[in-house]
């Protein structure tokens, strides 16, 4: 009884007699299916403009504020109250959704989740709108491809109880070359379909009578203007953009909650048909008497039972006349060709460069609109984040580039800093809910593929002394000077450097203590490195010093520790030229 009263109390409804006659006629002839199939007009057609559309204006609504079904869900939910919300294998007839129709809703949810994940479109919302608009394609009367058969048409939007929308498609979609009609399972008017139509089943056609095409178009339309449908306010705005009626919103919301509690798949063509159409609102016209041509009487103000109607606000100057509160205009959804859909990698490869060098790869992104086509003239901000010192050409950390006609934007070249390590490049585009892409990048230390001593002098020291001659090496990379290359020096026992040496020559650290490995060495601008002083301990022998560069180049240098040889003075040779001693015999 309460549901019946709710349906009857609508702003701008026709007289009780007209509404009752229309409902009775429809119920007797099972008119919901027949009327939607042939599109016949008249005061008994299902789906009216709704309580907020008595003016006949469409306000950019997807359906042109055409009529809709007002049946509400049963009080018994698909899963019994208080139990889990798992999808049941079977349940009430109202909870069943025809197989092809259910598949189309879920496919649309997956597709939109890929192109516009921040919208968070639930398929149950599509199911709720599909239920209210066409009774799930008239109970799933679709062919193997998902196309409604016969096609689903609303009444002519000729201003007689509905919005006045003159023909926009030459009758291509709705067969009416005079006025537009809402078309298909999701009841798009032709002008809206021209902007939002989709080919979701891959047959090369955008057909509003195909449930797959229509469901995806509805999903993208609901996500327009950067809406997040997980937010109640955005979801309400989305539903009202479909049909600007608060009763419509309440009805869709009821079915949305119902389907969220659980539903199940049923065979195509076996769904439950709606039985209660919304009542059309006649357009005011001059004349007297009863019937569709009479201007509807003003709706009385609400009052307590038995009391008098509450007085409405007076116009300036008195008179006691009520003045309706002006309704703020609702922005129309931006067409999908102008709506930001997604930001994708446009083929950027690995970002890796040696310190101080220019990156060969450039960061590139692709912007798409709501229907997946390239979107031009979108500003994309690229930002470098990290402590490697890497910057874009020109020494900037952030640059903004607009996408071209192919939807791509490419950042300037990156110049690697001197510090090796990881950093990121972030691309951001779009307002409201910006789309973001992050690219990982690496700066590697400068490399050398060869290192050698600059002279061949033998390196010898006495035990306990330091080597008199300094060790100087030069690093190169592809025969060019390798400046800033890190070098590790280690005293080893074998030439491959597998075993470190714990005796023999050594370096000194900052405290003067012996160390046999240095890791803080770097070649200068000429690629040369002069090693710190080397000292010998008390152990004689030949030792090895191994130098290794970033990049894998190495050189092994011999160090000899031996005591200097003692020198014995030689006796002078006799002078054979001296005169003989006369005293000797």
């Amino acid at each position: 009884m309460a549901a019946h009263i709710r349906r009857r109390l609508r702003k701008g409804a026709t007289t009780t007699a007209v509404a009752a006659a229309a409902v009775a006629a429809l119920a007797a002839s099972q008119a919901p299916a027949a009327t939607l199939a042939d599109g016949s007009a008249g005061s008994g057609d299902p789906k009216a403009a709704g309580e907020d559309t008595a003016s006949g204006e469409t306000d950019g609504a997807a359906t042109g504020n055409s009529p809709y079904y007002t049946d509400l869900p049963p009080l018994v939910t698909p899963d019994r109250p208080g139990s889990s919300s798992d999808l049941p294998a079977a349940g009430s007839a109202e909870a069943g959704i025809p197989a092809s129709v259910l598949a189309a809703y879920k496919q649309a949810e997956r597709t939109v989740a890929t192109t516009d994940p921040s919208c968070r479109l639930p398929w149950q919302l599509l199911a709720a709108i599909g239920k209210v608009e066409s009774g799930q394609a008239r109970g799933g009367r679709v062919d193997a491809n998902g196309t409604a058969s016969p096609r689903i048409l609303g009444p002519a939007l000729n201003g007689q109880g509905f919005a006045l929308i003159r023909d926009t498609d030459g009758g291509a979609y709705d067969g009416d070359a005079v006025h537009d009609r809402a078309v298909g399972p999701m009841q798009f008017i032709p002008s809206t379909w021209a902007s939002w139509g989709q080919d979701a089943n891959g047959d090369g056609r955008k057909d509003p009578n195909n449930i797959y095409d229509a469901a995806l178009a509805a999903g993208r339309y609901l996500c327009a203007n950067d809406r997040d449908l997980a937010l109640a306010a955005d979801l309400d705005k989305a539903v009202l953009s479909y049909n600007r009626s608060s009763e419509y919103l309440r009805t869709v919301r009821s079915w949305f909650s119902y389907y969220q509690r659980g539903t199940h798949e049923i065979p195509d063509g076996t769904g439950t048909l709606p039985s209660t159409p919304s009542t059309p609102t006649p357009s005011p016209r001059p004349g007297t008497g009863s019937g569709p041509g009479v201007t509807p009487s003003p709706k009385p103000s609400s009052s307590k039972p038995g009391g008098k109607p509450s007085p409405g606000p007076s116009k300036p100057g008195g008179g006691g006349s009520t003045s309706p509160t002006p309704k703020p205009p609702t922005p129309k959804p931006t067409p999908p060709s102008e709506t930001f859909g997604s930001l994708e990698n446009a083929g950027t490869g690995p970002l890796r460069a040696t310190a101080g060098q220019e990156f060969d790869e450039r960061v590139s992104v692709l912007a798409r609109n709501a229907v997946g086509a390239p979107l031009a003239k979108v500003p994309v901000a690229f930002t470098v984040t990290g402590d490697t010192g890497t910057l874009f050409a020109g020494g900037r950390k952030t640059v903004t580039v607009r996408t071209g006609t192919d939807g791509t934007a490419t950042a300037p070249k990156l110049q690697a800093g001197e510090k090796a390590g990881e950093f990121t490049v972030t691309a951001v585009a779009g307002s409201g809910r910006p789309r973001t892409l992050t690219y990982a990048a690496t700066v590697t230390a400068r490399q050398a593929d060869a290192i050698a001593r600059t002279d061949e002098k033998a390196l010898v020291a006495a035990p306990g002394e330091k080597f008199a001659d300094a060790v100087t090496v030069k690093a190169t990379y592809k025969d060019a000077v390798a400046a800033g290359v890190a070098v590790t020096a280690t005293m080893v026992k074998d030439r491959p450097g597998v075993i470190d040496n714990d005796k023999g020559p050594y370096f000194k650290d900052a405290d003067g203590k012996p160390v046999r490995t240095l890791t803080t060495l770097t070649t200068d601008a000429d690629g040369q490195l002069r090693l710190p002083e080397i000292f010998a301990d008390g152990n004689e022998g030949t030792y090895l010093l191994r130098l290794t560069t970033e990049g894998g180049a190495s050189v092994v240098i011999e160090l000899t520790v031996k005591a200097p040889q003692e020198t014995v003075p030689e006796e002078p040779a006799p002078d054979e030229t001296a005169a003989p001693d006369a005293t000797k015999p």
Side-chain angles (χ1 to χ4, degrees):
M1 186 65 174
H4 178 70
I5 293 173
R6 283 197 302 271
R7 297 187 194 110
R8 294 290 302 277
L9 294 179
R10 285 186 296 271
K11 181 180 179 180
T14 56
T15 63
T16 302
V18 173
V23 173
L26 286 167
S29 63
Q30 293 185 344
T35 302
L36 285 173
D38 61 22
S40 59
S43 62
D45 285 326
K47 299 170 77 250
E51 64 183 338
D52 295 332
T53 58
S55 66
E57 296 297 329
T58 66
D59 292 329
T63 65
N65 292 325
S66 59
Y68 58 92
Y69 290 111
T70 62
D71 294 54
L72 294 175
L75 295 177
V76 179
T77 58
D79 204 358
R80 65 184 183 278
S83 66
S84 71
S85 60
D86 296 335
L87 300 180
S92 72
E94 287 291 356
I97 299 179
S100 294
V101 179
L102 182 60
Y105 296 151
K106 292 184 175 181
Q107 177 178 296
E109 179 191 62
R110 292 191 299 271
T111 301
V112 173
T114 300
T115 60
D116 190 4
S118 55
C119 174
R120 296 190 281 183
L121 169 73
W123 67 261
Q124 292 91 343
L125 180 59
L126 296 174
I129 291 175
K131 177 68 174 180
V132 173
E133 290 295 341
S134 68
Q136 310 298 18
R138 292 177 315 210
R141 291 172 61 186
V142 297
D143 63 19
N145 295 320
T147 302
S149 178
R151 63 181 178 175
I152 302 173
L153 295 175
L157 298 174
N158 56 11
Q160 303 303 309
F162 313 112
L164 174 60
I165 306 180
R166 302 193 186 280
D167 177 63
T168 60
D169 66 330
Y173 293 120
D174 56 13
D176 190 333
V178 179
H179 297 98
D180 274 348
R181 299 168 182 251
V183 182
M186 304 305 281
Q187 289 288 275
F188 280 96
I189 55 174
S191 58
T192 305
W193 185 259
S195 295
W196 293 88
Q198 302 288 304
D199 174 20
N201 64 347
D203 64 356
R205 299 176 60 230
K206 297 178 180 179
D207 184 0
N209 272 291
N210 182 274
I211 185 58
Y212 291 95
D213 294 357
L216 181 56
R220 295 198 189 282
Y221 184 90
L222 293 167
C223 289
N225 298 331
D226 288 332
R227 295 190 187 104
D228 179 355
L229 300 183
L231 303 177
D234 277 9
L235 188 142
D236 287 351
K237 290 177 183 176
V239 174
L240 288 172
S241 77
Y242 217 86
N243 192 314
R244 302 197 187 286
S245 161
S246 56
E247 181 186 356
Y248 180 85
L249 173 61
R250 288 193 298 271
T251 307
V252 170
R253 273 285 199 172
S254 297
W255 284 106
F256 178 48
S257 298
Y258 183 74
Y259 288 137
Q260 280 186 313
R261 295 188 184 98
T263 186
H264 59 278
E265 179 185 299
I266 60 175
D268 288 346
T270 63
T272 303
L273 293 176
S275 60
T276 307
S278 60
T279 305
T281 305
S283 297
R285 63 172 68 176
T288 60
S290 62
V294 178
T295 303
S297 301
K299 183 178 179 181
S301 303
S302 59
S303 61
K304 297 180 181 179
K308 295 180 180 180
S310 301
S314 299
K315 293 182 180 179
S321 301
T322 58
S323 173
T325 302
K327 179 182 175 183
T330 305
K332 297 181 181 180
T334 305
S337 60
E338 302 172 11
T339 302
F340 200 108
S342 62
L343 190 67
E344 305 168 9
N345 186 350
T348 305
L351 297 169
R352 190 179 184 88
T354 302
Q357 303 299 310
E358 193 176 69
F359 281 74
D360 292 331
E361 194 74 18
R362 295 170 67 180
V363 178
S364 184
V365 299
L366 170 62
R368 295 186 185 276
N369 61 21
V371 296
L375 190 59
K377 299 182 180 179
V378 175
V380 182
F382 298 92
T383 303
V384 175
T385 304
D387 61 356
T388 64
T390 301
L391 298 169
F392 289 111
R396 294 171 293 173
K397 273 196 145 184
T398 299
V399 295
T400 300
V401 180
R402 287 185 177 271
T403 57
T405 55
D406 61 352
T408 62
T410 302
K413 285 199 170 185
L414 288 163
Q415 181 71 33
E418 290 298 332
K419 183 177 179 180
E422 306 289 331
F423 70 96
T424 60
V425 179
T426 303
V428 180
S431 58
R433 290 198 318 276
R435 276 59 165 180
T436 302
L437 277 181
T438 301
Y439 299 80
T442 303
V443 175
T444 59
R446 292 174 181 264
Q447 298 180 354
D449 55 15
I451 185 171
R453 286 188 66 192
T454 57
D455 61 61
E456 297 296 330
K457 188 181 293 186
L459 299 168
V460 181
E465 301 294 331
K466 71 177 179 180
F467 287 80
D469 296 310
V471 177
T472 302
V473 294
K474 182 175 182 178
T476 57
Y477 182 69
K478 295 181 180 179
D479 297 326
V481 168
V485 175
V487 180
T488 298
T490 304
M491 301 296 176
V492 296
K493 289 184 177 180
D494 58 339
R495 286 187 174 272
V498 176
I499 304 173
D500 292 352
N501 210 336
D502 58 357
K503 62 181 181 178
Y506 59 88
F507 303 104
K508 287 184 178 181
D509 63 14
D511 297 327
K513 295 180 180 179
V515 293
R516 291 184 169 83
T517 298
L518 295 177
T519 58
T520 58
L521 307 174
T522 306
T523 60
D524 61 18
D526 296 324
Q528 294 192 10
L529 169 65
R530 182 186 176 93
L531 294 180
E533 291 181 323
I534 302 175
F535 300 86
D537 62 8
N539 299 291
E540 295 190 52
T542 299
Y543 298 91
L544 302 177
L545 167 63
R546 190 169 192 267
L547 303 179
T548 306
T549 71
E550 187 73 32
S554 65
V555 62
V556 176
I557 301 170
E558 289 188 356
L559 301 172
T560 302
V561 178
K562 68 177 182 179
Q565 294 181 351
E566 293 185 4
T567 304
V568 178
E570 294 183 2
E571 292 183 3
D575 187 357
E576 296 179 356
T577 60
D581 189 350
T583 61
K584 292 182 179 181

